[in-house]
Amino acid sequence: DAKTTQPNSMESNEEEPVHLPCNHSTISGTDYIHWYRQLPSQGPEYVIHGLTSNVNNRMASLAIAEDRKSSTLILHRATLRDAAVYYCILVFGNEKLTFGTGTRLTIIP
Amino acid sequence: SQTIHQWPATLVQPVGSPLSLECTVEGTSNPNLYWYRQAAGRGLQLLFYSVGIGQISSEVPQNLSASRPQDRQFILSSKKLLLSDSGFYLCAWSAGTGGNYEQYFGPGTRLTVT
């Protein structure tokens, strides 16, 4: 499986945008980029996914580099409820999600 | 809308006892279903997945088994629990197979084997 690299932790002020980076230099042409987040003592929550083009939904935006070797999850206006571990995952033909260690996002009030 | 249920929410079982965790999905048909385990402070590990009734694929050899007796029901079982089976068990579903399908997770069962 192609691997992803994320910073271990990040901090952001409440009500400001947050940009969470992910590097995936060995991505293949058929890999989708997925983002999930996990709050303490809860199951992971799907955030967003994309293949080549930037994607927007009600939770976040996903910006994908032109060479697809990196991507950025953008939370437009962070709230305290966005404090979680964020996972960037590459998914292709098989069904398995392989979770790494993710980025622990702390929101400062 | 679709919802996924898991029970029980927490469970404390002695070593050597049996286990049965249940997961059901509402609001969709023929989902792909998954069982994951998360040990304390670790990432998620896929244990089993199913693309249809009676079709189970195992990812990791262990003393656990899974069954799918109905389209939207997925059961995780063990005949004899080990201490190493402690963890946070998560059921998930997706609408299809492949990278363009996201997975939706249930609330999880926290299992402690004593």
Side-chain angles (χ1 to χ4, degrees), chain B residues 66-93:
Chain B
S67 62
R68 185 171 176 173
Q70 300 180 41
D71 181 45
R72 290 169 291 175
Q73 184 184 32
F74 205 22
I75 297 171
L76 183 70
S77 304
S78 174
K79 293 182 179 178
K80 288 186 178 182
L81 284 168
L82 307 173
L83 285 174
S84 58
D85 291 324
S86 293
F88 191 36
Y89 287 82
L90 291 151
C91 181
W93 74 272

PDB file of all heavy atoms in Angstrom, chain B residues 66-93:
ATOM      1  N   ALA B  66     -15.988 -13.974  12.001  1.00  0.00           N
ATOM      2  CA  ALA B  66     -17.072 -13.068  11.660  1.00  0.00           C
ATOM      3  C   ALA B  66     -18.097 -13.814  10.833  1.00  0.00           C
ATOM      4  O   ALA B  66     -17.776 -14.771  10.129  1.00  0.00           O
ATOM      5  CB  ALA B  66     -16.548 -11.857  10.897  1.00  0.00           C
ATOM      6  N   SER B  67     -19.335 -13.344  10.944  1.00  0.00           N
ATOM      7  CA  SER B  67     -20.400 -13.924  10.139  1.00  0.00           C
ATOM      8  C   SER B  67     -21.338 -12.824   9.681  1.00  0.00           C
ATOM      9  O   SER B  67     -21.447 -11.767  10.316  1.00  0.00           O
ATOM     10  CB  SER B  67     -21.172 -14.987  10.939  1.00  0.00           C
ATOM     11  OG  SER B  67     -21.789 -14.400  12.069  1.00  0.00           O
ATOM     12  N   ARG B  68     -21.993 -13.090   8.568  1.00  0.00           N
ATOM     13  CA  ARG B  68     -22.971 -12.143   8.023  1.00  0.00           C
ATOM     14  C   ARG B  68     -24.226 -12.942   7.690  1.00  0.00           C
ATOM     15  O   ARG B  68     -24.430 -13.350   6.542  1.00  0.00           O
ATOM     16  CB  ARG B  68     -22.419 -11.429   6.793  1.00  0.00           C
ATOM     17  CG  ARG B  68     -23.341 -10.344   6.265  1.00  0.00           C
ATOM     18  CD  ARG B  68     -22.644  -9.538   5.201  1.00  0.00           C
ATOM     19  NE  ARG B  68     -23.535  -8.537   4.614  1.00  0.00           N
ATOM     20  CZ  ARG B  68     -23.135  -7.614   3.745  1.00  0.00           C
ATOM     21  NH1 ARG B  68     -21.865  -7.575   3.357  1.00  0.00           N
ATOM     22  NH2 ARG B  68     -23.992  -6.745   3.251  1.00  0.00           N
ATOM     23  N   PRO B  69     -25.068 -13.147   8.688  1.00  0.00           N
ATOM     24  CA  PRO B  69     -26.266 -13.961   8.464  1.00  0.00           C
ATOM     25  C   PRO B  69     -27.355 -13.248   7.664  1.00  0.00           C
ATOM     26  O   PRO B  69     -28.184 -13.917   7.031  1.00  0.00           O
ATOM     27  CB  PRO B  69     -26.744 -14.256   9.883  1.00  0.00           C
ATOM     28  CG  PRO B  69     -26.201 -13.138  10.705  1.00  0.00           C
ATOM     29  CD  PRO B  69     -24.913 -12.743  10.083  1.00  0.00           C
ATOM     30  N   GLN B  70     -27.366 -11.931   7.698  1.00  0.00           N
ATOM     31  CA  GLN B  70     -28.343 -11.146   6.942  1.00  0.00           C
ATOM     32  C   GLN B  70     -27.618 -10.004   6.220  1.00  0.00           C
ATOM     33  O   GLN B  70     -26.482  -9.669   6.560  1.00  0.00           O
ATOM     34  CB  GLN B  70     -29.418 -10.569   7.873  1.00  0.00           C
ATOM     35  CG  GLN B  70     -30.216 -11.608   8.632  1.00  0.00           C
ATOM     36  CD  GLN B  70     -31.259 -10.981   9.529  1.00  0.00           C
ATOM     37  OE1 GLN B  70     -31.932 -10.016   9.133  1.00  0.00           O
ATOM     38  NE2 GLN B  70     -31.407 -11.506  10.728  1.00  0.00           N
ATOM     39  N   ASP B  71     -28.296  -9.412   5.275  1.00  0.00           N
ATOM     40  CA  ASP B  71     -27.664  -8.403   4.421  1.00  0.00           C
ATOM     41  C   ASP B  71     -27.036  -7.270   5.215  1.00  0.00           C
ATOM     42  O   ASP B  71     -25.953  -6.773   4.882  1.00  0.00           O
ATOM     43  CB  ASP B  71     -28.711  -7.848   3.445  1.00  0.00           C
ATOM     44  CG  ASP B  71     -28.129  -6.802   2.507  1.00  0.00           C
ATOM     45  OD1 ASP B  71     -27.015  -7.045   1.976  1.00  0.00           O
ATOM     46  OD2 ASP B  71     -28.763  -5.760   2.293  1.00  0.00           O
ATOM     47  N   ARG B  72     -27.735  -6.834   6.285  1.00  0.00           N
ATOM     48  CA  ARG B  72     -27.273  -5.666   7.013  1.00  0.00           C
ATOM     49  C   ARG B  72     -26.856  -5.987   8.443  1.00  0.00           C
ATOM     50  O   ARG B  72     -26.896  -5.124   9.307  1.00  0.00           O
ATOM     51  CB  ARG B  72     -28.394  -4.606   6.993  1.00  0.00           C
ATOM     52  CG  ARG B  72     -28.587  -4.000   5.610  1.00  0.00           C
ATOM     53  CD  ARG B  72     -29.841  -3.162   5.530  1.00  0.00           C
ATOM     54  NE  ARG B  72     -31.046  -3.979   5.609  1.00  0.00           N
ATOM     55  CZ  ARG B  72     -32.270  -3.476   5.662  1.00  0.00           C
ATOM     56  NH1 ARG B  72     -32.450  -2.178   5.688  1.00  0.00           N
ATOM     57  NH2 ARG B  72     -33.309  -4.268   5.711  1.00  0.00           N
ATOM     58  N   GLN B  73     -26.443  -7.218   8.665  1.00  0.00           N
ATOM     59  CA  GLN B  73     -26.023  -7.645   9.991  1.00  0.00           C
ATOM     60  C   GLN B  73     -24.653  -8.294   9.912  1.00  0.00           C
ATOM     61  O   GLN B  73     -24.416  -9.178   9.081  1.00  0.00           O
ATOM     62  CB  GLN B  73     -27.043  -8.635  10.573  1.00  0.00           C
ATOM     63  CG  GLN B  73     -26.736  -9.071  11.987  1.00  0.00           C
ATOM     64  CD  GLN B  73     -27.722 -10.127  12.475  1.00  0.00           C
ATOM     65  OE1 GLN B  73     -28.226 -10.932  11.689  1.00  0.00           O
ATOM     66  NE2 GLN B  73     -27.986 -10.125  13.773  1.00  0.00           N
ATOM     67  N   PHE B  74     -23.772  -7.869  10.791  1.00  0.00           N
ATOM     68  CA  PHE B  74     -22.403  -8.382  10.790  1.00  0.00           C
ATOM     69  C   PHE B  74     -22.054  -8.702  12.243  1.00  0.00           C
ATOM     70  O   PHE B  74     -22.249  -7.857  13.119  1.00  0.00           O
ATOM     71  CB  PHE B  74     -21.468  -7.315  10.215  1.00  0.00           C
ATOM     72  CG  PHE B  74     -20.198  -7.837   9.610  1.00  0.00           C
ATOM     73  CD1 PHE B  74     -20.073  -9.143   9.165  1.00  0.00           C
ATOM     74  CD2 PHE B  74     -19.105  -6.996   9.445  1.00  0.00           C
ATOM     75  CE1 PHE B  74     -18.902  -9.597   8.573  1.00  0.00           C
ATOM     76  CE2 PHE B  74     -17.924  -7.435   8.854  1.00  0.00           C
ATOM     77  CZ  PHE B  74     -17.833  -8.736   8.420  1.00  0.00           C
ATOM     78  N   ILE B  75     -21.572  -9.914  12.484  1.00  0.00           N
ATOM     79  CA  ILE B  75     -21.317 -10.362  13.843  1.00  0.00           C
ATOM     80  C   ILE B  75     -19.856 -10.758  13.988  1.00  0.00           C
ATOM     81  O   ILE B  75     -19.302 -11.459  13.123  1.00  0.00           O
ATOM     82  CB  ILE B  75     -22.235 -11.546  14.207  1.00  0.00           C
ATOM     83  CG1 ILE B  75     -23.694 -11.082  14.179  1.00  0.00           C
ATOM     84  CG2 ILE B  75     -21.883 -12.110  15.580  1.00  0.00           C
ATOM     85  CD1 ILE B  75     -24.702 -12.201  14.318  1.00  0.00           C
ATOM     86  N   LEU B  76     -19.248 -10.321  15.067  1.00  0.00           N
ATOM     87  CA  LEU B  76     -17.875 -10.699  15.403  1.00  0.00           C
ATOM     88  C   LEU B  76     -17.916 -11.618  16.612  1.00  0.00           C
ATOM     89  O   LEU B  76     -18.576 -11.301  17.604  1.00  0.00           O
ATOM     90  CB  LEU B  76     -17.044  -9.457  15.714  1.00  0.00           C
ATOM     91  CG  LEU B  76     -15.563  -9.677  16.021  1.00  0.00           C
ATOM     92  CD1 LEU B  76     -14.815 -10.108  14.776  1.00  0.00           C
ATOM     93  CD2 LEU B  76     -14.943  -8.409  16.590  1.00  0.00           C
ATOM     94  N   SER B  77     -17.228 -12.748  16.522  1.00  0.00           N
ATOM     95  CA  SER B  77     -17.317 -13.753  17.584  1.00  0.00           C
ATOM     96  C   SER B  77     -15.953 -14.280  17.959  1.00  0.00           C
ATOM     97  O   SER B  77     -14.994 -14.193  17.194  1.00  0.00           O
ATOM     98  CB  SER B  77     -18.180 -14.933  17.122  1.00  0.00           C
ATOM     99  OG  SER B  77     -19.455 -14.508  16.718  1.00  0.00           O
ATOM    100  N   SER B  78     -15.929 -14.852  19.153  1.00  0.00           N
ATOM    101  CA  SER B  78     -14.767 -15.612  19.594  1.00  0.00           C
ATOM    102  C   SER B  78     -15.246 -16.721  20.515  1.00  0.00           C
ATOM    103  O   SER B  78     -16.185 -16.520  21.294  1.00  0.00           O
ATOM    104  CB  SER B  78     -13.765 -14.728  20.333  1.00  0.00           C
ATOM    105  OG  SER B  78     -12.716 -15.503  20.875  1.00  0.00           O
ATOM    106  N   LYS B  79     -14.623 -17.876  20.442  1.00  0.00           N
ATOM    107  CA  LYS B  79     -14.991 -18.964  21.340  1.00  0.00           C
ATOM    108  C   LYS B  79     -14.310 -18.812  22.694  1.00  0.00           C
ATOM    109  O   LYS B  79     -14.876 -19.143  23.739  1.00  0.00           O
ATOM    110  CB  LYS B  79     -14.627 -20.306  20.714  1.00  0.00           C
ATOM    111  CG  LYS B  79     -15.453 -20.643  19.491  1.00  0.00           C
ATOM    112  CD  LYS B  79     -15.076 -22.002  18.935  1.00  0.00           C
ATOM    113  CE  LYS B  79     -15.949 -22.347  17.712  1.00  0.00           C
ATOM    114  NZ  LYS B  79     -15.572 -23.646  17.108  1.00  0.00           N
ATOM    115  N   LYS B  80     -13.076 -18.304  22.662  1.00  0.00           N
ATOM    116  CA  LYS B  80     -12.318 -18.128  23.910  1.00  0.00           C
ATOM    117  C   LYS B  80     -11.473 -16.863  23.805  1.00  0.00           C
ATOM    118  O   LYS B  80     -10.503 -16.812  23.045  1.00  0.00           O
ATOM    119  CB  LYS B  80     -11.400 -19.321  24.170  1.00  0.00           C
ATOM    120  CG  LYS B  80     -12.105 -20.589  24.595  1.00  0.00           C
ATOM    121  CD  LYS B  80     -11.099 -21.675  24.976  1.00  0.00           C
ATOM    122  CE  LYS B  80     -11.797 -22.924  25.454  1.00  0.00           C
ATOM    123  NZ  LYS B  80     -10.831 -23.974  25.862  1.00  0.00           N
ATOM    124  N   LEU B  81     -11.795 -15.860  24.592  1.00  0.00           N
ATOM    125  CA  LEU B  81     -11.080 -14.600  24.538  1.00  0.00           C
ATOM    126  C   LEU B  81      -9.699 -14.699  25.168  1.00  0.00           C
ATOM    127  O   LEU B  81      -9.483 -15.414  26.152  1.00  0.00           O
ATOM    128  CB  LEU B  81     -11.879 -13.513  25.263  1.00  0.00           C
ATOM    129  CG  LEU B  81     -13.076 -12.957  24.506  1.00  0.00           C
ATOM    130  CD1 LEU B  81     -13.936 -12.111  25.435  1.00  0.00           C
ATOM    131  CD2 LEU B  81     -12.639 -12.161  23.296  1.00  0.00           C
ATOM    132  N   LEU B  82      -8.770 -13.926  24.581  1.00  0.00           N
ATOM    133  CA  LEU B  82      -7.427 -13.774  25.120  1.00  0.00           C
ATOM    134  C   LEU B  82      -7.278 -12.360  25.665  1.00  0.00           C
ATOM    135  O   LEU B  82      -8.015 -11.451  25.260  1.00  0.00           O
ATOM    136  CB  LEU B  82      -6.381 -13.997  24.021  1.00  0.00           C
ATOM    137  CG  LEU B  82      -6.489 -15.290  23.210  1.00  0.00           C
ATOM    138  CD1 LEU B  82      -5.503 -15.260  22.061  1.00  0.00           C
ATOM    139  CD2 LEU B  82      -6.238 -16.489  24.103  1.00  0.00           C
ATOM    140  N   LEU B  83      -6.290 -12.157  26.522  1.00  0.00           N
ATOM    141  CA  LEU B  83      -6.039 -10.807  27.024  1.00  0.00           C
ATOM    142  C   LEU B  83      -5.758  -9.843  25.878  1.00  0.00           C
ATOM    143  O   LEU B  83      -6.186  -8.679  25.908  1.00  0.00           O
ATOM    144  CB  LEU B  83      -4.843 -10.811  27.990  1.00  0.00           C
ATOM    145  CG  LEU B  83      -5.089 -11.374  29.387  1.00  0.00           C
ATOM    146  CD1 LEU B  83      -3.772 -11.432  30.165  1.00  0.00           C
ATOM    147  CD2 LEU B  83      -6.115 -10.528  30.145  1.00  0.00           C
ATOM    148  N   SER B  84      -5.087 -10.330  24.862  1.00  0.00           N
ATOM    149  CA  SER B  84      -4.713  -9.484  23.722  1.00  0.00           C
ATOM    150  C   SER B  84      -5.902  -9.078  22.857  1.00  0.00           C
ATOM    151  O   SER B  84      -5.750  -8.278  21.940  1.00  0.00           O
ATOM    152  CB  SER B  84      -3.674 -10.203  22.854  1.00  0.00           C
ATOM    153  OG  SER B  84      -4.194 -11.439  22.401  1.00  0.00           O
ATOM    154  N   ASP B  85      -7.069  -9.640  23.138  1.00  0.00           N
ATOM    155  CA  ASP B  85      -8.263  -9.252  22.384  1.00  0.00           C
ATOM    156  C   ASP B  85      -8.880  -7.952  22.892  1.00  0.00           C
ATOM    157  O   ASP B  85      -9.801  -7.408  22.273  1.00  0.00           O
ATOM    158  CB  ASP B  85      -9.322 -10.360  22.445  1.00  0.00           C
ATOM    159  CG  ASP B  85      -8.902 -11.597  21.679  1.00  0.00           C
ATOM    160  OD1 ASP B  85      -8.248 -11.449  20.616  1.00  0.00           O
ATOM    161  OD2 ASP B  85      -9.211 -12.713  22.137  1.00  0.00           O
ATOM    162  N   SER B  86      -8.375  -7.434  23.988  1.00  0.00           N
ATOM    163  CA  SER B  86      -8.879  -6.153  24.489  1.00  0.00           C
ATOM    164  C   SER B  86      -8.668  -5.068  23.454  1.00  0.00           C
ATOM    165  O   SER B  86      -7.644  -5.034  22.766  1.00  0.00           O
ATOM    166  CB  SER B  86      -8.163  -5.762  25.785  1.00  0.00           C
ATOM    167  OG  SER B  86      -8.481  -6.647  26.824  1.00  0.00           O
ATOM    168  N   GLY B  87      -9.633  -4.163  23.355  1.00  0.00           N
ATOM    169  CA  GLY B  87      -9.497  -3.073  22.401  1.00  0.00           C
ATOM    170  C   GLY B  87     -10.836  -2.447  22.088  1.00  0.00           C
ATOM    171  O   GLY B  87     -11.860  -2.782  22.680  1.00  0.00           O
ATOM    172  N   PHE B  88     -10.793  -1.550  21.134  1.00  0.00           N
ATOM    173  CA  PHE B  88     -11.974  -0.817  20.687  1.00  0.00           C
ATOM    174  C   PHE B  88     -12.364  -1.411  19.334  1.00  0.00           C
ATOM    175  O   PHE B  88     -11.612  -1.320  18.361  1.00  0.00           O
ATOM    176  CB  PHE B  88     -11.609   0.661  20.584  1.00  0.00           C
ATOM    177  CG  PHE B  88     -12.754   1.599  20.397  1.00  0.00           C
ATOM    178  CD1 PHE B  88     -13.983   1.378  21.005  1.00  0.00           C
ATOM    179  CD2 PHE B  88     -12.608   2.744  19.624  1.00  0.00           C
ATOM    180  CE1 PHE B  88     -15.037   2.265  20.841  1.00  0.00           C
ATOM    181  CE2 PHE B  88     -13.659   3.646  19.458  1.00  0.00           C
ATOM    182  CZ  PHE B  88     -14.875   3.399  20.073  1.00  0.00           C
ATOM    183  N   TYR B  89     -13.524  -2.036  19.268  1.00  0.00           N
ATOM    184  CA  TYR B  89     -13.964  -2.729  18.056  1.00  0.00           C
ATOM    185  C   TYR B  89     -14.960  -1.853  17.308  1.00  0.00           C
ATOM    186  O   TYR B  89     -15.961  -1.396  17.874  1.00  0.00           O
ATOM    187  CB  TYR B  89     -14.587  -4.077  18.404  1.00  0.00           C
ATOM    188  CG  TYR B  89     -13.546  -5.083  18.830  1.00  0.00           C
ATOM    189  CD1 TYR B  89     -13.054  -5.092  20.130  1.00  0.00           C
ATOM    190  CD2 TYR B  89     -13.022  -5.995  17.914  1.00  0.00           C
ATOM    191  CE1 TYR B  89     -12.072  -5.989  20.510  1.00  0.00           C
ATOM    192  CE2 TYR B  89     -12.042  -6.898  18.294  1.00  0.00           C
ATOM    193  CZ  TYR B  89     -11.574  -6.883  19.593  1.00  0.00           C
ATOM    194  OH  TYR B  89     -10.599  -7.771  19.963  1.00  0.00           O
ATOM    195  N   LEU B  90     -14.666  -1.661  16.060  1.00  0.00           N
ATOM    196  CA  LEU B  90     -15.476  -0.762  15.233  1.00  0.00           C
ATOM    197  C   LEU B  90     -16.013  -1.498  14.021  1.00  0.00           C
ATOM    198  O   LEU B  90     -15.281  -2.210  13.337  1.00  0.00           O
ATOM    199  CB  LEU B  90     -14.631   0.423  14.783  1.00  0.00           C
ATOM    200  CG  LEU B  90     -14.246   1.373  15.916  1.00  0.00           C
ATOM    201  CD1 LEU B  90     -12.927   2.054  15.616  1.00  0.00           C
ATOM    202  CD2 LEU B  90     -15.336   2.406  16.113  1.00  0.00           C
ATOM    203  N   CYS B  91     -17.274  -1.300  13.765  1.00  0.00           N
ATOM    204  CA  CYS B  91     -17.916  -1.803  12.563  1.00  0.00           C
ATOM    205  C   CYS B  91     -18.064  -0.635  11.591  1.00  0.00           C
ATOM    206  O   CYS B  91     -18.279   0.515  12.012  1.00  0.00           O
ATOM    207  CB  CYS B  91     -19.274  -2.390  12.917  1.00  0.00           C
ATOM    208  SG  CYS B  91     -20.191  -3.072  11.523  1.00  0.00           S
ATOM    209  N   ALA B  92     -17.932  -0.894  10.327  1.00  0.00           N
ATOM    210  CA  ALA B  92     -18.087   0.158   9.315  1.00  0.00           C
ATOM    211  C   ALA B  92     -18.806  -0.407   8.101  1.00  0.00           C
ATOM    212  O   ALA B  92     -18.832  -1.625   7.888  1.00  0.00           O
ATOM    213  CB  ALA B  92     -16.736   0.730   8.911  1.00  0.00           C
ATOM    214  N   TRP B  93     -19.380   0.499   7.308  1.00  0.00           N
ATOM    215  CA  TRP B  93     -20.014   0.067   6.065  1.00  0.00           C
ATOM    216  C   TRP B  93     -19.639   1.017   4.946  1.00  0.00           C
ATOM    217  O   TRP B  93     -19.274   2.166   5.175  1.00  0.00           O
ATOM    218  CB  TRP B  93     -21.531  -0.015   6.218  1.00  0.00           C
ATOM    219  CG  TRP B  93     -22.231   1.319   6.258  1.00  0.00           C
ATOM    220  CD1 TRP B  93     -22.462   2.092   7.367  1.00  0.00           C
ATOM    221  CD2 TRP B  93     -22.792   2.021   5.154  1.00  0.00           C
ATOM    222  NE1 TRP B  93     -23.126   3.243   7.010  1.00  0.00           N
ATOM    223  CE2 TRP B  93     -23.349   3.226   5.657  1.00  0.00           C
ATOM    224  CE3 TRP B  93     -22.891   1.766   3.778  1.00  0.00           C
ATOM    225  CZ2 TRP B  93     -23.988   4.146   4.842  1.00  0.00           C
ATOM    226  CZ3 TRP B  93     -23.528   2.684   2.962  1.00  0.00           C
ATOM    227  CH2 TRP B  93     -24.062   3.865   3.497  1.00  0.00           C
TER     228      TRP B  93
END
